[in-house]
Structures are given as C-alpha cells and as structure tokens.
Amino acid sequence: MPTAASIRRLALTTALGLAAGLAANLAALSPAWAHPHVWITAKAELAYEAGRVTGIRHAWTFDPEYTAFLTQGLDANGDGKVSPDELQGSAKEQAANLAEFAYFTKLKVAGKEQAFAEPQEARMAMEGGKLTLSFLLPLKTPAAQGRGVAAIEVYDPTYFIAFSLADGADAVRLAGAAPGCSMTVTRAKNTEPNVASAGQSMTEAMFEALTAASNYGEQFANRAIVACP
C-alpha cells in the first residue's frame, strides 16, 4: 500500500501533468529509489513596470524521461507526433495546477513576501526531445522595490523535483528594471541526472520520515537577489 507521503508526491507529479498510467509505477517503486525523481532546467525573468515589480516569467525544461511521461496521451490525432497545438491545449491547465505548490517560487520585494495571481501566457514547446513549460506569474499587486532588494527563490520543498538554473548569464534576467540595478545569482547544489552524488544517495525512506513541516528542499534552492539604486 502506498504511504500518505507517496500519495502526496504522486499528486505533485500529477500537477505537473504526469500521465495517469504512471501511478502504478510510482506505487511499485522500491523504497531505495532515491530523490529527486524529476529534473527541471529553469530560466526566470523578473518583470518591472514603472519602477515596480510586476511578476516573474518562468521557463522550465523537463528531463527527457519526464518529458516522455508528460506527453503521453497528448497525440490526439494519432499521427505519432505531438504537435504545437496539442501541447498548447494542456499548457494552461498544467500552469494552473501548480498553484497547489505555490508555483515552487518565492519572491520578496523590500523584505515583504509577495502573493501571486493566476498564471498567464502559458505555453508548452518541444525541442530536442525535451518539453518546456513557460508562463508569466504576475503579482496580485505590483510591488515598489525602491532601494531595497528583490529576492527570488525557485525550489521544491520536498526535493521530489530538482530545479537547476540553465547555463549562461541569461538564466535569470531583468525586464524593464531601472538603470543601475545589479543581480547576484546563487545556483542550486543538486547535480545532473544519473550522476553519482550525495543527493542521489538519499533514499525514499528518509523522505517518508520527514514531517509535513519539513522544508528539506530549501537547501537546493536557486536564488537571485536584485538591488537597485
């Protein structure tokens, strides 16, 4: 019988669009199968307008194995390929489902944690055998940064999903920020899939023992701090 924690993690994968047929596979997993189970390469853009932070634009690229699961059942016309139209049909739903997990995103502006409105402009695209989900995550109320800082964190508290920032200087960008704003980026400590690491040696049993209040995945967070004059 799956444990309560296993069921919760199954709900997490479902929120990201995992095909229902994977449920039996997850339930049958050995307790020794180590976290994380899904790998996402992330890009983020912090959006400004008239000196206020208005939202974050995310682009998340899934690993090939998860992409295969995610696209099961999307070939509606049966031609053996997933078309852009077929992908777009589920993009909005997948982005909306992430609300249960607070979009795996935290944003503080001038020391105050911000609340997000419903995601907009959700899109999915396939390139090189990997699926990318992109969406705009607007703030419920645009926030004035002033001379304070804006701090972004992207991570999964359960570490079921490993988020890694993309390579290159454009992994986190500013759009419409005032001249002179500077940014410091700290990348997650997790490694690439299928590479031996301390993270991969953590067993499922260890995660079953964590309490509901645990925030284990915070140590694997990607962070960006923006300071403006």
Side-chain angles (χ1 to χ4, degrees):
M1 291 289 292
T3 65
S6 296
I7 293 172
R8 178 170 60 83
R9 294 187 185 106
L10 177 57
L12 174 63
T13 60
T14 301
L16 284 172
L18 187 60
L22 185 57
N25 293 339
L26 282 179
L29 288 176
S30 164
W33 198 44
H35 272 55
H37 299 302
V38 180
W39 301 80
I40 292 178
T41 301
K43 290 186 176 182
E45 181 180 270
L46 187 62
Y48 289 80
E49 186 175 332
R52 294 176 177 267
V53 179
T54 59
I56 302 172
R57 189 178 297 277
H58 282 304
W60 295 347
T61 301
F62 302 100
D63 64 75
E65 291 77 12
Y66 191 77
T67 291
F69 283 122
L70 199 62
T71 53
Q72 286 182 10
L74 293 185
D75 182 15
N77 60 14
D79 66 353
K81 298 181 293 184
V82 180
S83 69
D85 287 344
E86 289 165 342
L87 289 173
Q88 187 57 34
S90 64
K92 185 176 180 179
E93 178 183 358
Q94 304 314 324
N97 285 342
L98 294 169
E100 181 179 352
F101 309 100
Y103 306 99
F104 303 111
T105 304
K106 291 185 177 180
L107 173 63
K108 289 185 177 181
V109 178
K112 183 179 180 181
E113 188 161 350
Q114 302 300 307
F116 298 113
E118 293 183 0
Q120 301 174 4
E121 303 175 22
R123 297 180 177 86
M124 289 204 296
M126 182 78 76
E127 183 175 353
K130 296 180 180 180
L131 186 66
T132 296
L133 171 67
S134 61
F135 57 98
L136 173 63
L137 194 55
L139 299 188
K140 286 187 175 180
T141 304
Q145 181 175 335
R147 293 189 176 183
V149 301
I152 309 168
E153 292 186 332
V154 179
Y155 68 99
D156 173 12
T158 70
Y159 201 47
F160 190 97
I161 299 170
F163 285 89
S164 298
L165 286 177
D167 293 333
D170 66 342
V172 182
R173 298 182 298 177
L174 305 179
C181 291
S182 61
M183 179 169 56
T184 301
V185 175
T186 303
R187 296 175 181 271
K189 295 185 292 184
N190 42 268
T191 61
E192 293 299 317
N194 304 318
V195 177
S197 68
Q200 289 184 311
S201 69
M202 296 178 292
T203 65
E204 198 74 13
M206 169 186 166
F207 286 89
E208 297 289 349
L210 296 178
T211 68
S214 298
N215 193 16
Y216 182 86
E218 186 176 9
Q219 65 183 301
F220 302 102
N222 299 273
R223 297 182 174 90
I225 297 177
V226 181
C228 294

PDB file of all heavy atoms in Angstrom, residues 14 23 34 49 72 75 124 161 171 177 180 183 211 213 226:
ATOM      1  N   THR A  14       1.243  14.607 -10.723  1.00  0.00           N
ATOM      2  CA  THR A  14       0.027  14.810 -11.495  1.00  0.00           C
ATOM      3  C   THR A  14      -0.165  16.286 -11.797  1.00  0.00           C
ATOM      4  O   THR A  14      -0.580  16.659 -12.890  1.00  0.00           O
ATOM      5  CB  THR A  14      -1.191  14.264 -10.736  1.00  0.00           C
ATOM      6  OG1 THR A  14      -0.990  12.877 -10.495  1.00  0.00           O
ATOM      7  CG2 THR A  14      -2.467  14.450 -11.546  1.00  0.00           C
ATOM      8  N   ALA A  23       0.948   6.171 -12.273  1.00  0.00           N
ATOM      9  CA  ALA A  23       0.594   5.967 -10.874  1.00  0.00           C
ATOM     10  C   ALA A  23       1.003   4.587 -10.386  1.00  0.00           C
ATOM     11  O   ALA A  23       1.567   4.437  -9.288  1.00  0.00           O
ATOM     12  CB  ALA A  23      -0.914   6.151 -10.685  1.00  0.00           C
ATOM     13  N   ALA A  34      16.049   6.725  -5.059  1.00  0.00           N
ATOM     14  CA  ALA A  34      16.442   7.958  -4.391  1.00  0.00           C
ATOM     15  C   ALA A  34      15.833   9.193  -5.032  1.00  0.00           C
ATOM     16  O   ALA A  34      15.552   9.223  -6.217  1.00  0.00           O
ATOM     17  CB  ALA A  34      17.973   8.079  -4.402  1.00  0.00           C
ATOM     18  N   GLU A  49       7.718  47.350 -14.105  1.00  0.00           N
ATOM     19  CA  GLU A  49       6.982  48.359 -14.863  1.00  0.00           C
ATOM     20  C   GLU A  49       6.843  49.604 -13.988  1.00  0.00           C
ATOM     21  O   GLU A  49       6.360  49.524 -12.863  1.00  0.00           O
ATOM     22  CB  GLU A  49       5.592  47.850 -15.259  1.00  0.00           C
ATOM     23  CG  GLU A  49       4.830  48.798 -16.171  1.00  0.00           C
ATOM     24  CD  GLU A  49       3.515  48.218 -16.650  1.00  0.00           C
ATOM     25  OE1 GLU A  49       3.412  46.983 -16.742  1.00  0.00           O
ATOM     26  OE2 GLU A  49       2.589  49.009 -16.922  1.00  0.00           O
ATOM     27  N   GLN A  72       2.472  11.678 -22.807  1.00  0.00           N
ATOM     28  CA  GLN A  72       1.617  10.526 -23.083  1.00  0.00           C
ATOM     29  C   GLN A  72       0.150  10.974 -23.181  1.00  0.00           C
ATOM     30  O   GLN A  72      -0.334  11.723 -22.352  1.00  0.00           O
ATOM     31  CB  GLN A  72       1.756   9.474 -21.979  1.00  0.00           C
ATOM     32  CG  GLN A  72       3.057   8.699 -22.036  1.00  0.00           C
ATOM     33  CD  GLN A  72       3.121   7.629 -20.958  1.00  0.00           C
ATOM     34  OE1 GLN A  72       2.133   7.342 -20.291  1.00  0.00           O
ATOM     35  NE2 GLN A  72       4.298   7.055 -20.782  1.00  0.00           N
ATOM     36  N   ASP A  75      -1.133  13.008 -28.094  1.00  0.00           N
ATOM     37  CA  ASP A  75      -1.202  12.855 -29.546  1.00  0.00           C
ATOM     38  C   ASP A  75      -2.649  12.560 -29.942  1.00  0.00           C
ATOM     39  O   ASP A  75      -3.024  11.431 -30.256  1.00  0.00           O
ATOM     40  CB  ASP A  75      -0.270  11.724 -29.986  1.00  0.00           C
ATOM     41  CG  ASP A  75      -0.262  11.535 -31.492  1.00  0.00           C
ATOM     42  OD1 ASP A  75      -0.742  12.440 -32.201  1.00  0.00           O
ATOM     43  OD2 ASP A  75       0.211  10.471 -31.942  1.00  0.00           O
ATOM     44  N   MET A 124       3.593  25.507 -24.015  1.00  0.00           N
ATOM     45  CA  MET A 124       4.499  24.362 -23.971  1.00  0.00           C
ATOM     46  C   MET A 124       5.099  24.174 -25.353  1.00  0.00           C
ATOM     47  O   MET A 124       4.416  24.342 -26.374  1.00  0.00           O
ATOM     48  CB  MET A 124       3.777  23.094 -23.520  1.00  0.00           C
ATOM     49  CG  MET A 124       3.391  23.119 -22.048  1.00  0.00           C
ATOM     50  SD  MET A 124       3.188  21.471 -21.285  1.00  0.00           S
ATOM     51  CE  MET A 124       1.800  20.835 -22.201  1.00  0.00           C
ATOM     52  N   ILE A 161      11.348  17.218  -6.940  1.00  0.00           N
ATOM     53  CA  ILE A 161      11.820  17.837  -8.173  1.00  0.00           C
ATOM     54  C   ILE A 161      13.115  18.586  -7.881  1.00  0.00           C
ATOM     55  O   ILE A 161      13.208  19.314  -6.892  1.00  0.00           O
ATOM     56  CB  ILE A 161      10.792  18.825  -8.730  1.00  0.00           C
ATOM     57  CG1 ILE A 161       9.488  18.111  -9.068  1.00  0.00           C
ATOM     58  CG2 ILE A 161      11.332  19.547  -9.963  1.00  0.00           C
ATOM     59  CD1 ILE A 161       8.359  19.060  -9.401  1.00  0.00           C
ATOM     60  N   ALA A 171      20.188  33.021 -17.469  1.00  0.00           N
ATOM     61  CA  ALA A 171      19.347  32.116 -16.679  1.00  0.00           C
ATOM     62  C   ALA A 171      18.346  32.901 -15.839  1.00  0.00           C
ATOM     63  O   ALA A 171      17.194  32.485 -15.660  1.00  0.00           O
ATOM     64  CB  ALA A 171      20.210  31.237 -15.785  1.00  0.00           C
ATOM     65  N   ALA A 177      13.754  46.869 -15.653  1.00  0.00           N
ATOM     66  CA  ALA A 177      14.301  47.389 -14.400  1.00  0.00           C
ATOM     67  C   ALA A 177      14.984  48.740 -14.633  1.00  0.00           C
ATOM     68  O   ALA A 177      15.410  49.065 -15.745  1.00  0.00           O
ATOM     69  CB  ALA A 177      15.293  46.398 -13.804  1.00  0.00           C
ATOM     70  N   GLY A 180      21.115  50.641 -13.648  1.00  0.00           N
ATOM     71  CA  GLY A 180      21.972  50.522 -12.474  1.00  0.00           C
ATOM     72  C   GLY A 180      21.616  49.388 -11.537  1.00  0.00           C
ATOM     73  O   GLY A 180      22.332  49.142 -10.566  1.00  0.00           O
ATOM     74  N   MET A 183      22.455  42.244  -9.983  1.00  0.00           N
ATOM     75  CA  MET A 183      21.867  40.975  -9.562  1.00  0.00           C
ATOM     76  C   MET A 183      22.958  39.989  -9.178  1.00  0.00           C
ATOM     77  O   MET A 183      23.985  39.878  -9.846  1.00  0.00           O
ATOM     78  CB  MET A 183      21.004  40.403 -10.688  1.00  0.00           C
ATOM     79  CG  MET A 183      20.348  39.074 -10.373  1.00  0.00           C
ATOM     80  SD  MET A 183      19.103  38.627 -11.624  1.00  0.00           S
ATOM     81  CE  MET A 183      20.070  38.688 -13.141  1.00  0.00           C
ATOM     82  N   THR A 211       8.533  15.302   8.384  1.00  0.00           N
ATOM     83  CA  THR A 211       7.212  15.768   8.799  1.00  0.00           C
ATOM     84  C   THR A 211       6.643  16.718   7.755  1.00  0.00           C
ATOM     85  O   THR A 211       7.349  17.193   6.863  1.00  0.00           O
ATOM     86  CB  THR A 211       7.279  16.484  10.159  1.00  0.00           C
ATOM     87  OG1 THR A 211       8.010  17.720   9.988  1.00  0.00           O
ATOM     88  CG2 THR A 211       7.977  15.617  11.193  1.00  0.00           C
ATOM     89  N   ALA A 213       5.926  19.665   8.137  1.00  0.00           N
ATOM     90  CA  ALA A 213       6.508  20.998   8.275  1.00  0.00           C
ATOM     91  C   ALA A 213       7.926  21.078   7.710  1.00  0.00           C
ATOM     92  O   ALA A 213       8.522  22.155   7.686  1.00  0.00           O
ATOM     93  CB  ALA A 213       6.527  21.405   9.747  1.00  0.00           C
ATOM     94  N   VAL A 226      18.254  41.011  -6.342  1.00  0.00           N
ATOM     95  CA  VAL A 226      18.366  42.187  -7.199  1.00  0.00           C
ATOM     96  C   VAL A 226      18.373  43.439  -6.330  1.00  0.00           C
ATOM     97  O   VAL A 226      17.485  43.632  -5.489  1.00  0.00           O
ATOM     98  CB  VAL A 226      17.194  42.258  -8.196  1.00  0.00           C
ATOM     99  CG1 VAL A 226      17.331  43.473  -9.099  1.00  0.00           C
ATOM    100  CG2 VAL A 226      17.108  40.977  -9.019  1.00  0.00           C
TER     101      VAL A 226
END
